[in-house]
Amino acid sequence: MRKPLLGALLAVLLLGAGAAPATATGLDAVAPAKTSPTAPSGTRAGVTAPGGTDVAVKAVSYAGTVALSNCSGSVVRTPGSQPNDFALVLSNGHCIESGFPAAGQVIVNQPSTRSFTLLNAAGTGVATLRASKIAYATMTDTDVSLYQLTSTYAQIQSRYAITALDLNTTRPVQGTAIKVVSGYWKRIYTCNVDGFAYQLKEGQWTWKDSVRYTSACNTIGGTSGSPVIDNTTGKVVAVNNTGNESGGRCTDNNPCEVDQNGNVTVRQGINYAQETYQIVPCVGTGTTINLSLPGCALPKP
């Protein structure tokens, strides 16, 4: 997670005056390498699973992702979401406009008028969506924010022909083929779930059971909040949030892994995400966040 001023200056200096600078905290926008961004994935015939069985692979694109002023995100729904429910946007807790929530802080139902650029499959912005509130945000145990929009799922579908991404209801598994889809940079990273960090510590924050990527997902500033999508199901299994930049030990921008015995491991250049299946039991009728629902284990205020 980078400081805002540095990210903004780098974006302006490296991309030029026409670039949209990053302005807020988080894995904030720094210029990508001067290579062509990864194109949206097309339809694939499938991959071969152990034993020679073909497994269908969902086409992963930018459809349903959003660009924030400083981060990435996605329009998401749960299995219980209804067409006339106000839609939810998923991003990181460290991407909210009021700055990093402190360790232990949980935000619920905070008014917001934040705007989001909705992307289609090709990565073209097709609409500006607006929030009515931050339904939920925290950097405790996880790093997540959920904005409730003024538009319903049905309105987004009928006006822009874009369907919200589904949140998976179960924990991801090691070895899963994934894509990290950044609406900010219009860039897709492809890798696998390398494993899990029992605890991931960065500065004052501690996150639990974090997803660790294989090295191919070398995400950069501005990709914070990107949905992590299972290639096979097309469902969101995590939200991208941080990486160890310079080999530091448990400091800002340099998270470390801590196991059950307190042993610390530093993996320079490796990036991480926070699981999202635990959000599903906490979303009640009308996409309201109800932390008292059975099975809801998100941190409470």
Side-chain angles (χ1 to χ4, degrees), residues 175-199:
T176 298
I178 54 174
K179 293 185 185 297
V180 182
V181 186
S182 171
Y184 187 98
W185 288 121
K186 300 179 179 62
R187 182 171 177 179
I188 298 177
Y189 300 82
T190 300
C191 62
N192 294 80
V193 174
D194 183 56
F196 302 89
Y198 176 71
Q199 289 184 340

Side-chain angles (χ1 to χ4, degrees), residues 106-297:
V106 175
I107 296 167
V108 179
N109 294 330
Q110 177 175 292
S112 173
T113 57
R114 191 148 193 199
S115 61
F116 312 88
T117 301
L118 178 67
L119 305 184
N120 63 14
T124 302
V126 295
T128 298
L129 303 177
R130 192 165 297 279
S132 62
K133 64 181 178 181
I134 301 173
Y136 184 85
T138 192
M139 289 179 67
T140 299
D141 294 350
T142 186
D143 183 7
V144 66
S145 62
L146 289 165
Y147 286 85
Q148 190 177 78
L149 302 181
T150 58
S151 302
T152 66
Y153 293 112
Q155 288 169 336
I156 293 170
Q157 171 68 41
S158 64
R159 294 171 182 172
Y160 315 115
I162 291 175
T163 302
L165 301 176
D166 291 309
L167 289 176
N168 202 39
T169 59
T170 58
R171 182 179 183 268
V173 298
Q174 187 174 16
T176 298
I178 54 174
K179 293 185 185 297
V180 182
V181 186
S182 171
Y184 187 98
W185 288 121
K186 300 179 179 62
R187 182 171 177 179
I188 298 177
Y189 300 82
T190 300
C191 62
N192 294 80
V193 174
D194 183 56
F196 302 89
Y198 176 71
Q199 289 184 340
L200 191 67
K201 289 184 176 289
E202 180 173 346
Q204 66 176 281
W205 299 279
T206 299
W207 305 306
K208 298 179 179 179
D209 199 27
S210 302
V211 174
R212 180 177 62 246
Y213 306 141
T214 52
S215 59
C217 281
N218 55 341
T219 50
I220 60 174
T223 64
S224 285
S226 298
V228 179
I229 299 175
D230 184 316
N231 286 5
T232 301
T233 66
K235 294 182 178 182
V236 177
V237 297
V239 58
N240 180 66
N241 81 306
T242 194
N244 187 292
E245 296 179 4
S246 58
R249 180 184 172 98
C250 315
T251 61
D252 290 351
N253 308 320
N254 291 286
C256 64
E257 298 183 21
V258 183
D259 69 15
Q260 294 91 325
N261 299 316
N263 299 311
V264 175
T265 302
V266 173
R267 303 178 191 268
Q268 184 176 355
I270 294 299
N271 297 285
Y272 299 89
Q274 302 306 308
E275 297 164 354
T276 50
Y277 74 95
Q278 69 270 38
I279 293 171
V280 176
C282 305
V283 181
T285 304
T287 58
T288 57
I289 303 301
N290 185 346
L291 301 178
S292 64
L293 287 173
C296 178

